[in-house]
């Protein structure tokens, strides 16, 4: 052990007139380095060994629960879900009411597609037939400016596009997308209304034309003006591109003169894949 001395000087002696110095020493001990490791040592006695079983994937298999444990888990909802325990009666009641309303208006077996069943629709031209048609008023919470007649395949494609492209593209614009303006849906006519042309997909309930988008703050942007507008051009192109896949045919302002002011979407399928222009 090492020791260190420290000297301390005193004060002046008032009586003798001279100076006296008082010396005191303080010793500070410094600890030596440990001579052995301070790591924990094993306790005495026999160790408890738990057998471990591996399943086919190599993971440790979970031990089987007793009948009492399984019954206790079923009785205690806290082990399976915390949500019901923290819902107020008011919130739960409102949730049930909303679900009933959605179920009442759901079509195509999808709560996110709201409308009404129409049944078989026919027209004056040969081939203008829609089996099990529906009249859709909203998709994924986005309203349609007019109820649109289509088949369920097209309604499902519209939902896919709405959720993957339209809503995300407009999410940061004016509070988000609220309504789309439907320029055309079911109509028994030829392509582009040209005489002698093939029957349009609109006549089969497989198409919808969208000409504008209305945002939560009331702003409405049309395909005609928004396609090249600085604020909306990227969103417009994102929505156009995002329709390729859910729909078989996607036409926009760059396709031809007939589609300068709207998007045409239909669910016709081609061997080469989606046709997008």
């Amino acid at each position: 052990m090492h020791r260190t001395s420290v000297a301390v000087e005193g004060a002046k002696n008032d009586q003798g007139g001279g100076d006296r110095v008082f010396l005191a020493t303080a010793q500070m001990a410094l600890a030596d380095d440990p001579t052995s490791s301070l790591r924990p040592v094993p306790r005495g006695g026999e160790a408890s060994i738990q057998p471990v079983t591996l399943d086919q994937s190599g993971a440790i298999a979970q031990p089987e629960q007793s009948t009492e444990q399984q019954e206790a888990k079923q009785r205690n909802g806290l082990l399976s879900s915390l949500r019901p325990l923290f819902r107020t009666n008011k919130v739960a009641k409102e949730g049930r009411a909303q679900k009933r309303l959605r179920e009442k208006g759901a079509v195509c077996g999808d709560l996110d597609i709201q409308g009404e069943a129409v049944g078989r629709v026919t027209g004056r031209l040969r081939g203008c037939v829609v089996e099990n048609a529906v009249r859709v008023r909203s998709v994924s919470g986005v309203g349609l400016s007019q109820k649109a007649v289509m088949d369920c395949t097209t309604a499902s494609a519209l939902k896919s596009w709405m959720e993957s492209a339209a809503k995300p593209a407009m999410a940061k614009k004016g509070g988000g997308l609220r309504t789309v303006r439907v320029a055309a849906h079911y109509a028994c006519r030829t392509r582009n209304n040209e005489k002698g042309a093939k029957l349009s997909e609109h006549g089969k309930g497989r198409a919808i034309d969208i000409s504008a988008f209305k945002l939560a703050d009331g702003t409405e942007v049309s395909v005609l003006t928004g396609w090249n507008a600085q604020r909306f051009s990227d969103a417009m192109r994102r929505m156009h591109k995002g329709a390729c896949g859910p729909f078989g045919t996607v036409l926009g302002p760059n396709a031809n003169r007939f589609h300068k002011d709207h998007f045409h979407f239909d669910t016709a399928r081609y061997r080469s894949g989606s046709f997008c222009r």
Side-chain angles (χ1 to χ4, degrees):
M1 181 170 294
H2 308 286
R3 298 182 182 277
T4 302
S5 297
V6 180
V8 181
E9 291 185 351
K12 181 177 180 181
N13 187 335
D14 295 336
Q15 296 178 355
D19 293 334
R20 289 189 302 174
V21 177
F22 299 90
L23 182 65
T25 60
Q27 294 182 333
M28 179 174 61
L30 300 177
D32 293 330
D33 294 334
T35 57
S36 60
S37 172
L38 297 179
R39 295 178 182 174
V41 296
R43 294 182 177 180
E46 296 183 358
S48 176
I49 300 177
Q50 297 288 341
V52 175
T53 304
L54 301 181
D55 59 22
Q56 294 181 352
S57 66
I60 298 177
Q62 297 298 316
E64 295 184 1
Q65 292 183 329
S66 65
T67 304
E68 291 78 7
Q69 289 175 319
Q70 293 178 357
E71 291 177 351
K73 183 175 182 180
Q74 292 176 357
R75 289 194 302 268
N76 190 355
L78 185 63
L79 294 176
S80 50
S81 175
L82 295 176
R83 183 176 296 175
L85 298 180
F86 294 96
R87 282 182 178 175
T88 64
N89 291 333
K90 181 180 179 181
V91 171
K93 184 177 180 180
E94 291 175 350
R96 289 192 296 269
Q98 185 178 15
K99 184 178 180 181
R100 285 194 297 269
L101 288 175
R102 293 181 66 200
E103 288 175 344
K104 186 177 180 180
V107 293
C108 301
D110 194 326
L111 293 178
D112 290 328
I113 304 175
Q114 294 288 298
E116 57 188 339
V118 176
R120 193 171 192 266
V121 177
T122 59
R124 60 183 179 82
L125 297 179
R126 183 179 180 181
C128 278
V129 179
V130 186
E131 300 290 350
N132 302 314
V134 292
R135 186 178 287 111
V136 180
R137 65 171 178 270
S138 71
V139 177
S140 298
V142 177
L144 307 187
S145 63
Q146 61 173 304
K147 294 179 180 179
V149 175
M150 62 191 77
D151 62 16
C152 282
T153 298
T154 305
S156 296
L158 186 61
K159 174 190 172 180
S160 178
W161 170 75
M162 199 74 77
E163 294 184 348
S164 65
K167 291 174 71 174
M170 290 295 193
K172 297 182 180 180
K173 307 289 186 183
L177 183 61
R178 289 296 177 268
T179 308
V180 296
R181 188 196 300 168
V182 177
H185 49 103
Y186 172 78
C188 186
R189 61 174 176 80
T190 59
R191 294 180 180 176
N192 301 317
N193 287 308
E194 292 187 323
K195 187 176 181 179
K198 292 182 179 180
L199 186 67
S200 169
E201 293 299 314
H202 285 280
K204 304 174 185 178
R206 301 177 185 171
I208 185 169
D209 291 351
I210 296 175
S211 59
F213 303 87
K214 190 172 184 177
L215 308 180
D217 66 358
T219 300
E220 183 170 293
V221 54
S222 68
V223 174
L224 180 64
T225 60
W227 184 255
N228 292 316
Q230 183 176 359
R231 182 184 176 191
F232 293 103
S233 61
D234 289 343
M236 286 288 175
R237 283 161 173 76
R238 182 177 177 182
M239 289 189 288
H240 178 272
K241 183 178 180 180
C244 297
F247 292 99
T249 306
V250 177
L251 302 174
N254 291 341
N256 52 46
R257 62 186 177 88
F258 298 107
H259 299 90
K260 289 291 184 182
D261 60 354
H262 69 275
F263 292 147
H264 168 89
F265 302 149
D266 71 51
T267 52
R269 294 297 172 182
Y270 308 96
R271 293 180 180 179
S272 58
S274 296
F275 180 84
C276 304
R277 295 290 186 274

